[in-house]
Amino acid sequence: MTTYYAPTFSSKQFHCIHCGVYAKQEWAELAFRTYSDQISPISWCHCCHCSGISYWYEEKMIVPADSPAPPAHVDTPQSILREYNEARAIFGRSPRAAVALLRLAIQKLMIELGENGENINTDIKSLVAKGLPVQVQQAFDYCRVVGNNAVHPGEINLNDSPDMGQHLFNMINFIVEDRITRPRHIAALYGKLPEATRSAIEKRDA
């Protein structure tokens, strides 16, 4: 899974908000004509790949809507894609609201993985009993704890620590990669083996 570099004020390279390509970015201050040719507090950024332009005020992207979070994994189930994309669209304005949406996405993802989706903690326990790798369990628990603090504020203040919410997008994409993409890819490769070979393997493991 490719590392995502979010659009960041004054950075020379990041994943473009328009084309999604990791590309060189050029910056300039927006000027407006008056009797003194004043410089505007707004900066603009030009993507050298697609020529898309974004506008920034006080080091935050204002046009298009600030979305400093990675796009959904290509294999993200349709059942959670709406919540993921909505969370991504509002994260810059309200990290807590975005994380609350991602918590709902995690519950729906549990259903995709064969759990009931009613209690994330119980579902994680069930997946661990079925052999869930420790790294994936920790990713799930990160999502659970941060998500719960968005709905029921506790020790984590997401407005003060928005980076914790931003990592949640990466965690969900990691889980999709491990639980959905890799098994699908391996199954596709295994299916290309000769039928006689697969039959012999099945007899061996019977």
Side-chain angles (χ1 to χ4, degrees), residues 76-160:
T76 299
Q78 287 295 321
S79 61
I80 75 170
L81 201 54
R82 179 178 177 180
E83 282 78 14
Y84 187 101
N85 288 335
E86 186 177 348
R88 185 169 179 253
I90 68 172
F91 180 76
R93 297 185 295 278
S94 178
R96 184 180 167 194
V99 169
L101 283 167
L102 292 179
R103 183 182 184 278
L104 176 58
I106 284 290
Q107 284 189 271
K108 291 186 175 183
L109 181 57
M110 286 298 190
I111 297 173
E112 295 285 344
L113 299 179
E115 304 302 322
N116 60 34
E118 294 179 4
N119 184 297
I120 296 176
N121 199 38
T122 301
D123 288 342
I124 294 173
K125 181 179 179 180
S126 175
L127 288 171
V128 168
K130 296 173 183 176
L132 186 73
V134 172
Q135 284 185 326
V136 185
Q137 168 257 308
Q138 291 176 346
F140 267 122
D141 276 317
Y142 182 92
C143 294
R144 176 182 64 84
V145 172
V146 176
N148 285 347
N149 274 266
V151 180
H152 307 291
E155 297 179 358
I156 300 173
N157 187 330
L158 288 169
N159 290 324
D160 292 339

Side-chain angles (χ1 to χ4, degrees), residues 4-180:
Y4 176 76
Y5 296 92
T8 307
F9 182 73
S10 79
S11 293
K12 302 301 182 183
Q13 286 182 306
F14 52 68
H15 281 89
C16 174
I17 194 69
H18 297 285
C19 65
V21 173
Y22 181 70
K24 179 182 178 182
Q25 308 291 325
E26 295 179 339
W27 292 83
E29 292 179 324
L30 188 66
F32 59 93
R33 286 193 175 277
T34 65
Y35 62 90
S36 60
D37 286 334
Q38 292 179 320
I39 299 297
S40 166
I42 297 176
S43 299
W44 61 274
C45 177
H46 169 262
C47 174
C48 293
H49 181 264
C50 70
S51 297
I53 294 177
S54 57
Y55 296 91
W56 299 64
Y57 176 70
E58 293 185 347
E59 300 187 2
K60 292 185 177 181
M61 188 188 300
I62 55 174
V63 178
D66 184 11
S67 183
H73 192 288
V74 65
D75 288 327
T76 299
Q78 287 295 321
S79 61
I80 75 170
L81 201 54
R82 179 178 177 180
E83 282 78 14
Y84 187 101
N85 288 335
E86 186 177 348
R88 185 169 179 253
I90 68 172
F91 180 76
R93 297 185 295 278
S94 178
R96 184 180 167 194
V99 169
L101 283 167
L102 292 179
R103 183 182 184 278
L104 176 58
I106 284 290
Q107 284 189 271
K108 291 186 175 183
L109 181 57
M110 286 298 190
I111 297 173
E112 295 285 344
L113 299 179
E115 304 302 322
N116 60 34
E118 294 179 4
N119 184 297
I120 296 176
N121 199 38
T122 301
D123 288 342
I124 294 173
K125 181 179 179 180
S126 175
L127 288 171
V128 168
K130 296 173 183 176
L132 186 73
V134 172
Q135 284 185 326
V136 185
Q137 168 257 308
Q138 291 176 346
F140 267 122
D141 276 317
Y142 182 92
C143 294
R144 176 182 64 84
V145 172
V146 176
N148 285 347
N149 274 266
V151 180
H152 307 291
E155 297 179 358
I156 300 173
N157 187 330
L158 288 169
N159 290 324
D160 292 339
S161 304
D163 57 308
M164 296 194 73
Q166 190 168 4
H167 290 315
L168 202 56
F169 292 91
N170 294 321
M171 289 295 186
I172 291 176
N173 283 338
F174 167 75
I175 292 167
V176 170
E177 172 76 17
D178 188 273
R179 297 288 88 190
I180 297 176

